[in-house]
Each structure stands twice: as structure tokens, then as C-alpha cells.
Amino acid sequence: MAKATSVFACQECGATHSKWSGRCDACGAWNTIIEESGNAEAARPGGLGKGRGKKIEFVGLATPADHQKPPRLPTGLAEFDRVAGGGLVPGSAILVGGDPGIGKSTLLLQVTAALAGSYRCVYISGEEAVDQVRLRAERLGLADAPVELASATNVRDIVASLDDAHAPQVVVADSIQTLFMDTLDSAPGTVAQVRASAQELIRLCKRRGIVLFLVGHVTKEGTIAGPKVLEHMVDTVLYFEGERGHQFRILRAVKNRFGPADEIGVFEMQDSGLSQVANPSALFLADRDRAASGTSVFAGMEGTRPMLVEIQALTAPTSFGTPRRAVVGWDSGRLNMVLAVLEARCGLGMGQNDVYLNVAGGLRISEPAADLAVAAALVSSLNGSVVPADTVVFGEIGLSGEVRPVSREDVRLKEAGKLGFKRAIVPETRGTKKERASKPAESANPREAAAQTVRIRHLNELLDLLAPRRASESASPTGLRPAARAES
Ligand code: TYD
Ligand code: MG
């Protein structure tokens, strides 16, 4: 019999220590180490103890001819299905992470209700009583959906109730932080509990071909284990994000063993629950002030889908020694880089200015292709010029100020054209010149036509385009200064 000992696990990074300390050596977090009962014998290499293991049976990689591919379970919610890679795969575990109150339970209740017509769905809530879930379903207009509800937190009970030949096809565990294994001493929500509970449920779902949803709260403090510790155990990781003050919610696939990652679905939180947003670009741009300086429209890509968003910048003289840099929806390191390049390569100093950057609508952009649009908004805010309202911008900026080509230019331009944008400031690509000679017209259908492109190679050319116009100058037909080459 192995001797049971304690290990001290950091709740932030999962590192284990032999004794308690106030600070985790591995990640540097304070007050995150908690005692958990472990088995030192089993953790040692070669510590398998007595007894032989069973022989594993190996099979060929090629699918046998008589094998039927398991069908995917489509929910019918197009935005959700796209993120899930075209429907749910039986036997897969899906982690849905997000801030508390962002709408995870609402989303999953809607998803299970949509599936319940065709499949047996079970919704286990560890946070809410059955009546509370019912109340929510009523509010969502789903009171008649044949979803089976339960309020439970003990994983042993949950497994015992589901592990039979009539197991449901879809199970939601909301949330993993409330579940616990009675074999462990630690409190629910600790790394050990979250990991063990998830492992037990995932084993059940693989055995019975159940689609398992695990809801996990993302927490800023390290005291409760976030879903990060589960990411490697599940097949799919979806994050549900959005700004609390905005009605938009974005479901983002960050890992998907059965479909593309980086795909997003856009929802709107309304009084009657989440509704799908089929054309997010139009919505993100709806409240735009077309004549304001300090804004530009970025033609981005989210997964396979083009998405147009407004980038807003505000520069104002600083009243402190160190100017402020505040960013919502973009990487602050990337902003500092763009500011440094503008200063070093274009002589546009912002050292004495506070800089605020905001991606309108609550979307979070991670693409470097947004560099040029951010630079355009910054330049426009600083010198008061306006990026013409019918112009989209995209391109990556290098440290020497060069503007680099980005992927899927055609898709971005087409989406811009569809939404009525006439021009685009884009990077010059290697094939551009040849293409210009050989391809005169884009598309016969004006609604389908891609926007006209102004190609630039260096950030200085953007500054020329956006230089404040003197009164004596007549406006160029593009609304931009004619320094760069315009092409149709
Ligand atoms: P919820 O799904 O409980 O969040 P989570 O499970 O991620 O913690 O969503 C809670 C929020 O959503 C709450 O602040 C109110 C809002 N909400 C609506 O605006 N409309 C609705 O129909 C519902 C059900 C919730
Ligand atoms: Mg919830």
C-alpha cells in the first residue's frame, strides 16, 4: 500500500512543491499554494508497483471499409456550428470558458434546447437550482424544450446517473469549478478538484460517445483554478468573450481537434437571450461617426470570415510625466511598437501625448494586419485629418516602417466592397505591378466589386496620404492626397 502524502500545488500554474511557501517558485504568484493529498509512490518514475498491465490492442490508421463515420450533431445555430467546426462530434469534450456573467449558461441552455428535439440532452447545473434554470429557460422562450435538468455537484453521482446504455447524447456540466470528487480532500474549484472532476467526466463521455460541455469561469485571481488547466485535456476550447457594457458576445475557438481554430461566432445579448449576428461588420460599423478624426476602418479576418471594425484613437497632451497608453481590444505591446515606428521612422513623436486606442463594438483583434489601420487612426487623431469614411485600411508594419502584405487580401477587399467601401489603403505586394497590367476590371457586379486599392510600401506614404490638407489645395478625387499610386 502506497503511503499517502501531501503535495503543495500552485493554483495558478499547477506546479507542485514539497512544502508550503507564500510564493510559487515556478510562476512567481503569491498565496496560490494549497495543500492537496497526493500519492508520492505513484508519482515516482517506475512507481507502478506490482501487477502487470493489460495488453493494448493496436489497429491500423486506415479506416476500415465497413466503418461508419459518426455523424456530427448540428445545432442549427449557424454561428455556433461554424465555431464548433460544423456540428458537435460525439464523444468529444468541449470547454466553454469566459468571465462570470458573460452568458455561458445562457448560450449552453440555448444550444441544448436547439439539440433537444433530436437528441437526449442533459443540463447539470452546480451553480443554480433547477427552478432558476427553468426561470431562465422561460425568459428565453425555451420552456417547452425537452432538456433534462439536474442540480448536482458530486461527480460520483453524476457519473453513476449517466453511465448506462441509455446515456444522453449531450451533457452540460455548469460549471466545472462547482463539481467535486469525494475521493479528494481539497475544496471544489482547486486545481486538483477541477482536473480530477474533468478527467472523470471526459472518461465517461469518451466511453459512451457523449458530447460533453464543461463550463469554466476565467478568474483573474489565482485562488480558483481557471479553465487554463483543462485546455490540454479537452478536444475543443471555446472562449465566450465581450465587453460587459456592450451587447456583443463573441464565441472564439482557440483549440479544436475537429475543426478550424480561430473561427468566431458573433452573438448579441438581448432581453430574450442571445441572438445570432449574421453580418457582424455591418453591426460593428453601424454607429460610426463618419466625419470624425482619429478613426479608421480595419478590414480584418476572423478565422475564415472577413470582418470590418472601426479603430478609434485619441491622442491628447499629457498632464503627467509619463504619458498614458490605454488599449481596449488590441495588444498594448503592439500599440507601443506602432508608436515607436511612427516616431523613429516617420518623425511623428507622441512622447508628450496620452494615447487611447479602442476597437469599437467590443471585438478583440489579434491580427498584426491591424497595424496600418491603428497607425492611420493615430496619425489622423494627432494631426486632425480624417481618413475618408469610404476607405478601409489593412497591412502589417515592420520595425523599419515598411508596410508588409497580409493574407487573404482578396477576401478583405471583397467584404469592403460589399459594405459600400470604395477605397482601400493596402500594402504593395510582390505581384501587384504585374497584376495591375493584366487585370483591368475586378467584377461585373458592382455590389460584388472589391474596393479600389491605394498601395503603399512605407509608413511615410500613409502620412503623406493623411497629411492635413491646406485650404488652397483642391481635393483629389480619392479624397486622399495624391502622393501614393492609386489603382483601379
Ligand atoms: P449567464 O449566462 O448567467 O452568464 P454566465 O453563465 O457566463 O455566468 O448570463 C448572465 C448575464 O446575461 C446577466 O448579467 C444577464 C444577462 N442576460 C440577458 O441580458 N438576457 C437574457 O435573456 C439572459 C438569460 C441573461
Ligand atoms: Mg452560469
Side-chain angles (χ1 to χ4, degrees):
M1 176 68 197
K3 201 173 105 216
T5 48
S6 294
V7 290
F8 295 84
C10 171
Q11 305 299 297
E12 183 86 11
C13 68
T16 52
H17 306 269
S18 57
K19 61 181 194 312
W20 189 88
S21 70
R23 182 166 181 266
C24 173
D25 291 337
C27 68
W30 285 95
N31 286 331
T32 56
I33 293 176
I34 284 183
E35 182 177 0
E36 290 171 355
S37 66
N39 192 327
E41 201 67 21
R44 252 209 320 265
L48 279 176
K50 292 197 197 77
R52 283 175 63 125
K54 253 196 304 186
K55 281 233 167 96
I56 309 168
E57 193 188 330
F58 295 94
V59 295
L61 172 65
T63 318
D66 57 344
H67 180 78
Q68 294 254 319
K69 233 181 108 190
R72 283 186 179 241
L73 280 51
T75 62
L77 300 166
E79 290 294 304
F80 184 87
D81 284 344
R82 186 186 37 254
V83 178
L88 305 168
V89 177
S92 65
I94 302 159
L95 173 68
V96 180
D99 290 332
I102 205 75
K104 301 179 293 296
S105 306
T106 309
L107 175 74
L108 288 179
L109 195 57
Q110 287 183 249
V111 166
T112 41
L115 285 164
S118 325
Y119 310 98
R120 191 178 154 214
C121 299
V122 168
Y123 189 104
I124 300 164
S125 180
E127 300 188 340
E128 291 161 289
V130 167
D131 280 335
Q132 285 173 305
V133 182
R134 274 201 195 119
L135 217 68
R136 187 199 297 263
E138 239 164 69
R139 181 168 167 189
L140 300 173
L142 302 171
D144 300 330
V147 178
E148 294 168 44
L149 298 179
S151 181
T153 50
N154 189 333
V155 175
R156 186 193 296 274
D157 300 345
I158 295 171
V159 171
S161 330
L162 298 178
D163 197 6
D164 58 37
H166 307 288
Q169 278 107 333
V170 181
V171 171
V172 177
D174 184 3
S175 65
I176 188 68
Q177 275 111 346
T178 56
L179 303 188
F180 71 96
M181 298 271 290
D182 49 19
T183 45
L184 294 181
D185 292 337
S186 37
T190 53
V191 171
Q193 282 290 7
V194 164
R195 244 193 232 143
S197 307
Q199 209 146 37
E200 203 54 50
L201 290 175
I202 290 168
R203 217 174 294 153
L204 167 77
C205 94
K206 300 278 172 209
R207 196 163 58 229
R208 295 288 177 189
I210 299 170
V211 178
L212 172 69
F213 284 102
L214 295 173
V215 175
H217 295 292
V218 179
T219 46
K220 302 235 158 52
E221 300 84 36
T223 45
I224 296 179
K228 284 274 174 213
V229 296
L230 299 178
E231 280 188 355
H232 65 280
M233 291 163 56
V234 297
D235 300 301
T236 303
V237 178
L238 307 179
Y239 274 98
F240 204 37
E241 21 176 83
E243 294 293 323
R244 200 59 72 84
H246 285 288
Q247 71 274 39
F248 300 118
R249 298 285 182 271
I250 287 147
L251 187 67
R252 191 183 289 276
V254 292
K255 162 180 169 179
N256 197 346
R257 285 189 183 144
F258 307 111
D262 287 341
E263 218 37 278
I264 71 164
V266 184
F267 297 86
E268 205 178 343
M269 181 60 96
Q270 291 170 340
D271 284 345
S272 53
L274 292 157
S275 66
Q276 305 183 69
V277 177
N279 188 355
S281 302
L283 216 68
F284 284 134
L285 296 176
D287 305 323
R288 188 160 65 109
D289 180 357
R290 300 167 69 90
S293 67
T295 73
S296 68
V297 176
F298 167 55
M301 294 292 300
E302 290 291 347
T304 53
R305 200 156 52 150
M307 201 157 295
L308 268 55
V309 278
E310 185 188 2
I311 309 247
Q312 303 173 333
L314 178 67
T315 57
T318 183
S319 38
F320 302 103
T322 336
R324 274 190 66 122
R325 305 275 181 260
V327 189
V328 178
W330 207 48
D331 180 21
S332 58
R334 202 88 202 161
L335 170 68
N336 287 332
M337 189 208 82
V338 173
L339 288 172
V341 173
L342 278 172
E343 174 141 19
R345 306 292 176 187
C346 311
L348 200 72
M350 302 217 191
Q352 291 315 305
N353 283 305
D354 290 339
V355 176
Y356 301 91
L357 190 82
N358 178 34
V359 177
L363 191 69
R364 197 152 70 219
I365 300 178
S366 51
E367 262 191 306
D371 291 353
L372 197 62
V374 169
L378 288 168
V379 171
S380 157
S381 168
L382 194 72
N383 68 15
S385 61
V386 174
V387 182
D390 61 353
T391 303
V392 296
V393 188
F394 59 84
E396 188 179 338
I397 296 175
L399 287 183
S400 62
E402 82 274 18
V403 177
R404 297 177 171 198
V406 299
S407 62
R408 315 298 302 271
E409 181 178 293
D410 48 337
V411 182
R412 296 173 201 259
L413 289 176
K414 206 162 165 182
E415 176 78 357
K418 241 193 260 172
L419 285 161
F421 286 83
K422 301 245 160 35
R423 278 161 216 98
I425 303 177
V426 303
E428 186 156 301
T429 50
R430 230 179 288 149
T432 313
K433 285 197 190 100
K434 239 190 285 163
E435 200 181 291
R436 220 183 289 168
S438 64
K439 213 173 79 186
E442 281 288 350
S443 164
N445 181 356
R447 278 187 64 82
E448 284 280 290
Q452 180 199 37
T453 54
V454 178
R455 297 197 176 270
I456 62 173
R457 224 181 299 173
H458 195 274
L459 205 46
N460 276 324
E461 294 172 56
L462 178 77
L463 262 66
D464 288 340
L465 289 167
L466 296 178
R469 196 176 296 122
R470 269 167 274 132
S472 58
E473 268 179 324
S474 62
S476 79
T478 55
L480 297 162
R481 303 235 317 185
R485 297 164 296 275
E487 60 166 291
S488 33

